[in-house]
Amino acid sequence: MIHVLAIITAKPGMRDAVLTEFRANMPAVHAEQGCIEYGPAVDAEGFGKVQTPFGPDSFVVIEKWESPEALKAHSAAPHMAAYAARTREMIASRVIHILSPAG
């Protein structure tokens, strides 16, 4: 299994617009072979100093894929290219962490 944490930072005030496009793309991603989990998350409130927030313009995409091949196919999928084109001008930065289980 492959885990992915993608940290998406929108341009100021654009996070909701990016999330709207992201959510519209989710059914196509969930239908991909090898997709186990794929969804956005934002900072939880009320945890005080124990938390290091990503901030109001960022969200994290939490993904699980059955194999490296499934993740590579996802990256090359036409609906991902279309999503990237629709959000290109709204995104300030993107950091992707691809991880293997350590257990």
Side-chain angles (χ1 to χ4, degrees):
M1 182 177 349
I2 297 294
H3 299 265
V4 178
L5 295 176
I7 303 161
I8 311 299
T9 302
K11 291 180 179 175
M14 298 296 297
R15 182 175 79 177
D16 287 344
V18 176
L19 280 169
T20 296
E21 293 292 341
F22 183 92
R23 290 180 185 117
N25 197 43
M26 283 176 62
V29 176
H30 288 158
E32 291 178 44
Q33 184 173 355
C35 179
I36 298 169
E37 180 179 354
Y38 184 85
V42 297
D43 291 321
E45 295 185 23
F47 287 92
K49 294 180 182 182
V50 70
Q51 180 179 13
T52 304
F54 284 100
D57 294 319
S58 297
F59 66 98
V60 177
V61 182
I62 300 166
E63 307 177 36
K64 289 184 183 175
W65 296 91
E66 287 181 1
S67 67
E69 294 76 23
L71 176 57
K72 289 175 185 174
H74 163 69
S75 298
H79 55 268
M80 292 308 296
Y83 164 76
R86 288 191 307 272
T87 59
R88 183 171 288 120
E89 297 302 317
M90 294 185 270
I91 293 177
S93 68
R94 183 178 72 157
V95 176
I96 299 175
H97 299 275
I98 301 173
L99 310 163
S100 295

